[in-house]
Amino acid sequence: IYGQRLLANPDDNVNSWYLEVGEPETQQYKQALSQNAQTEPTIQAYWDYLEKIRQLYPRAGTKEEKEQQRAESRQRMREKYPLRQILRDAQKAQGRGCYFAFGRYATAEELEQVYAVLLSENKEATLARLLWVFRRVPLPRLHPRLFDWATGPVEELKEAALVALAHTADARVHQLARQKLATGAVLGPDSGVLDLFLHNYSNGDADLICRALATIQPDADDAHSLAMGVIDLVEKQGDRDLHQALLWAYENTPCSTCRHRAVVQLDKLGLLTDSLVRECCFDADEDTRELAQKHGTS
């Protein structure tokens, strides 16, 4: 399935989870992919994608080797996606992943240039792509247009603006986050709203978050996004008042990895009940079952 997506759109971003699992699973998985890639074009496309990700984000070798690999990866990406190409492709409304990669390795001066173009642009498809540059890096500063996009009618712009704003600690970002929760704007392009609290969290936010989650019926994508937002927030803040939100994440996420993360945080906060431990003994995730078994409840 991932290979089909990549063949249809080489700039697509798909799951690279095999890079995260330990031995011997990694070797078994790599061997199976490598063998089948010889006869299946879709698997070959996914295999090539995984190898590209592995080179960009090395996870093996000594500290010095990793630093060297990262430096080489950074240089490759900068050569592959220079500023002039990013601005040209954005004007043509082309590509997707290239903007994420560019932003990750861009200099402060290059980000300033992108930001200047962003604030002078009006074409929606171009604006969204320029905002994607700030998907993983902070904006140079805040401008009222960002909040207009984050609350406006264009879904692609709204989603991109929320992601970009999530890196900044600012009272206006906090106010935006609370306003969206208060009005029930937490689904679809607003499903990343909880990330706005990562650097803008204060007393009373937990109650607002828990109440907002209790009233919605998300689809799988929104549930996954919101659950990740809850778990990330709990990991950062360690606030027991987010207990109900954390339980909501556990019960609603379609992702076994996120479910395990939720259980880990409940355990750290001392909120893992016996009934939940018993349930975790039958979880699809091996790590979740192992955690439950350590509690000695069957």
Side-chain angles (χ1 to χ4, degrees), residues 52-274:
K52 180 178 69 174
I53 296 297
R54 183 186 61 78
Q55 293 175 12
L56 290 178
Y57 308 107
R59 292 176 171 86
T62 65
K63 180 179 180 181
E64 292 75 15
E65 289 172 337
K66 288 182 180 180
E67 290 177 352
Q68 179 63 27
Q69 289 173 325
R70 281 192 287 267
E72 293 173 354
S73 295
R74 182 178 186 275
Q75 185 59 32
R76 285 196 300 269
M77 294 303 291
R78 288 184 56 77
E79 292 174 354
K80 184 176 182 180
Y81 301 121
L83 174 62
R84 62 182 179 277
Q85 178 183 328
I86 290 298
L87 295 178
R88 182 175 63 247
D89 287 352
Q91 287 293 335
K92 296 179 179 179
Q94 295 178 343
R96 183 178 180 88
C98 57
Y99 304 97
F100 311 154
F102 170 81
R104 181 181 178 89
Y105 295 106
T107 65
E109 181 180 354
E110 288 171 336
L111 293 175
E112 283 282 0
Q113 293 182 57
V114 172
Y115 193 63
V117 175
L118 173 69
L119 296 181
S120 64
E121 180 61 53
N122 290 308
K123 185 179 177 182
E124 292 172 354
T126 298
L127 286 170
R129 283 162 174 78
L130 294 176
L131 282 170
W132 290 344
V133 169
F134 302 97
R135 194 173 186 88
R136 297 190 180 101
V137 295
L139 294 153
R141 57 199 161 276
L142 298 187
H143 187 278
R145 290 194 78 187
L146 292 159
F147 296 92
D148 292 339
W149 296 326
T151 56
V154 183
E155 293 191 352
E156 190 174 44
L157 275 180
K158 181 185 294 186
E159 181 180 16
L162 287 177
V163 173
L165 287 167
H167 302 295
T168 303
D170 188 281
R172 291 168 291 177
V173 177
H174 188 217
Q175 181 181 3
L176 172 65
R178 290 184 59 87
Q179 177 185 351
K180 283 188 174 291
L181 290 185
T183 58
V186 297
L187 300 177
D190 290 306
S191 62
V193 61
L194 297 184
D195 291 339
L196 298 179
F197 289 99
L198 284 173
H199 301 288
N200 300 279
Y201 188 75
S202 66
N203 293 335
D205 289 343
D207 181 61
L208 189 59
I209 292 170
C210 292
R211 284 191 284 112
L213 293 175
T215 61
I216 61 173
Q217 294 182 331
D219 61 20
D221 288 339
D222 287 344
H224 189 202
S225 180
L226 289 165
M228 284 195 297
V230 169
I231 297 165
D232 288 344
L233 189 57
V234 174
E235 288 178 347
K236 183 176 178 62
Q237 300 295 335
D239 188 356
R240 290 172 61 91
D241 289 341
L242 287 166
H243 175 210
Q244 291 302 319
L246 198 53
L247 283 175
W248 183 94
Y250 168 80
E251 293 171 354
N252 287 273
T253 181
C255 172
S256 61
T257 300
C258 289
R259 191 165 59 248
H260 174 70
R261 290 176 62 203
V263 172
V264 168
Q265 291 307 308
L266 286 166
D267 189 27
K268 287 184 177 180
L269 295 175
L271 299 171
L272 195 56
T273 63
D274 288 344

